[in-house]
Amino acid sequence: MSVPSVSPVSSLVHPRHWLSWLGVGAIAVMARLPYRLLLVLGGAAGWLAARLLRSRRRVAERNLALCFPELGAAERAALLEENLRDTGRMLAEFALAWMGTDRALARVPMTLDGLEHLEAAHRAGRGVLLVGAHFSHLELCARLVSQRLRIAGMYRVMDNPVFERAVLRARLRYAVTMFTKEEIRQTVRHLRDGGAIWYAPDQDMRGKDSVFVPFFGIPASTITATHHLARLGQAAVIPFFHRRLPGGGYALRLEAPLADFPSDDPVADTARVNAAIERMVREAPSQYLWIHKRFKTRPPGAPPVY
């Protein structure tokens, strides 16, 4: 199994990178703060960002209107406000996930249910795709679950080389390895060797490997990679639920593997994955990344929604 190489610091000392290094330093300082203080500060940052980043507020507002038409205007407004505060908490939780100490993570309240499903897959000699979604606390919950499971992850390389170095180095402290979306052969090999990989296929995707399947009843361009990875890697697909509790801490849950998955129909399989992710979102709607333009890519002839 290969481990991605981390760029040496010496390659990133040019003055054009200094501001980025200051940002990394600020994240490291934030990660040293007590967990509950981090959540308070994150919520305040989200309140401020909601009033400064008006374009993202409009995206979240539109997504909530599309996905929760049954809610009244006042209910959606309250959900929007809480979601935007949660976006600020995301920054705090990412800091803790990337640069918090093991001792600090051990103090974060966490429950994990459904571990027997992963153990059963391993006893059967199968690798596992832990399919999750882009919640504000996705990175923190991946690190929390890594305290109990040996997992790898799939990720997108960051455009900023300083942040890419810092984040990859941080992830490799708790993940077995990390795979980019281009490293399909290595990912499949890891699954065939019985490994577990955390994967979130719920963002707007375009290209030949995407299909339109429902998400909250709306055709959403969705990558078919879950079907292909499960087929090539002979892996079980286990939905990975996680949500932040009202008093702080996290409830993590592994569901039973999707039955008869993969099938011979990648479109039907992708629709099943979206249905599982929709159930995740309905359990904690304020904690989902609604500021993402999930429905930006539209079916041919369909009008834009943003």
Side-chain angles (χ1 to χ4, degrees):
M1 177 181 60
S2 62
V3 177
S5 59
V6 177
S7 301
V9 173
S10 58
S11 66
L12 300 170
V13 296
H14 192 278
R16 69 174 178 272
H17 297 308
W18 289 358
L19 188 60
S20 297
W21 281 115
L22 284 174
V24 169
I27 292 172
V29 170
M30 189 185 304
R32 299 302 188 270
L33 298 175
Y35 166 68
R36 295 187 186 280
L37 177 58
L38 270 176
L39 292 187
V40 171
L41 294 176
W47 181 91
L48 180 62
R51 281 139 187 85
L52 297 177
L53 304 177
R54 294 187 180 275
S55 63
R56 286 297 164 182
R57 182 186 184 96
R58 286 193 292 271
V59 170
E61 189 172 26
R62 179 63 171 148
N63 281 334
L64 291 174
L66 289 168
C67 295
F68 296 97
E70 71 277 12
L71 297 181
E75 291 175 294
R76 276 205 305 271
L79 180 56
L80 172 66
E81 190 64 32
E82 181 56 28
N83 178 250
L84 294 170
R85 284 180 178 272
D86 205 75
T87 303
R89 296 185 187 104
M90 174 178 67
L91 302 177
E93 288 166 322
F94 269 56
L96 184 59
W98 288 335
M99 299 184 183
T101 64
D102 289 340
R103 187 174 181 181
L105 266 292
R107 291 196 292 265
V108 176
M110 182 266 283
T111 61
L112 174 59
D113 295 321
L115 195 57
E116 67 274 10
H117 301 305
L118 185 135
E119 292 170 344
H122 283 173
R123 285 195 302 271
R126 302 183 71 187
V128 169
L129 272 173
L130 293 178
V131 172
H134 282 79
F135 289 87
S136 59
H137 38 70
L138 82 167
E139 191 91 24
L140 181 55
C141 287
R143 183 166 178 188
L144 288 171
V145 83
S146 74
Q147 296 174 333
R148 300 283 298 277
L149 312 173
R150 287 176 56 80
I151 61 169
M154 298 191 73
Y155 78 111
R156 184 182 70 82
V157 176
M158 294 185 174
D159 296 330
N160 185 304
V162 173
F163 279 94
E164 168 62 18
R165 179 191 184 277
V167 172
L168 179 58
R169 184 167 174 264
R171 285 168 168 164
L172 290 175
R173 285 200 292 266
Y174 61 88
V176 174
T177 190
M178 298 295 299
F179 300 107
T180 66
K181 64 180 182 180
E182 291 78 23
E183 295 175 318
I184 300 301
R185 289 186 179 181
Q186 297 93 319
T187 305
V188 169
R189 187 181 307 119
H190 186 74
L191 290 170
R192 289 200 171 193
D193 288 341
I197 297 178
W198 185 94
Y199 180 50
D202 63 321
Q203 295 203 308
D204 181 83
M205 301 295 292
R206 284 166 282 184
K208 63 179 182 180
D209 295 325
S210 299
V211 294
F212 286 100
V213 292
F215 184 60
F216 283 86
I218 303 163
S221 183
T222 309
I223 195 167
T224 57
T226 308
H227 162 89
H228 295 300
L229 289 173
R231 179 176 59 84
L232 296 171
Q234 301 170 6
V237 173
I238 292 181
F240 177 31
F241 287 64
H242 47 88
R243 58 190 173 88
R244 187 190 311 104
L245 300 173
Y250 304 88
L252 282 57
R253 185 174 87 250
L254 308 181
E255 284 198 341
L258 297 181
D260 303 317
F261 193 104
S263 70
D264 294 329
D265 186 345
V267 177
D269 285 351
T270 304
R272 290 183 65 194
V273 171
N274 266 12
I277 292 173
E278 181 176 330
R279 288 193 294 109
M280 297 175 193
V281 176
R282 288 188 181 277
E283 286 194 7
S286 69
Q287 298 172 25
Y288 191 60
L289 196 67
W290 292 116
I291 60 172
H292 170 65
K293 293 182 178 181
R294 182 64 185 91
F295 308 108
K296 181 178 180 180
T297 303
R298 302 288 286 148
V305 298
Y306 302 112

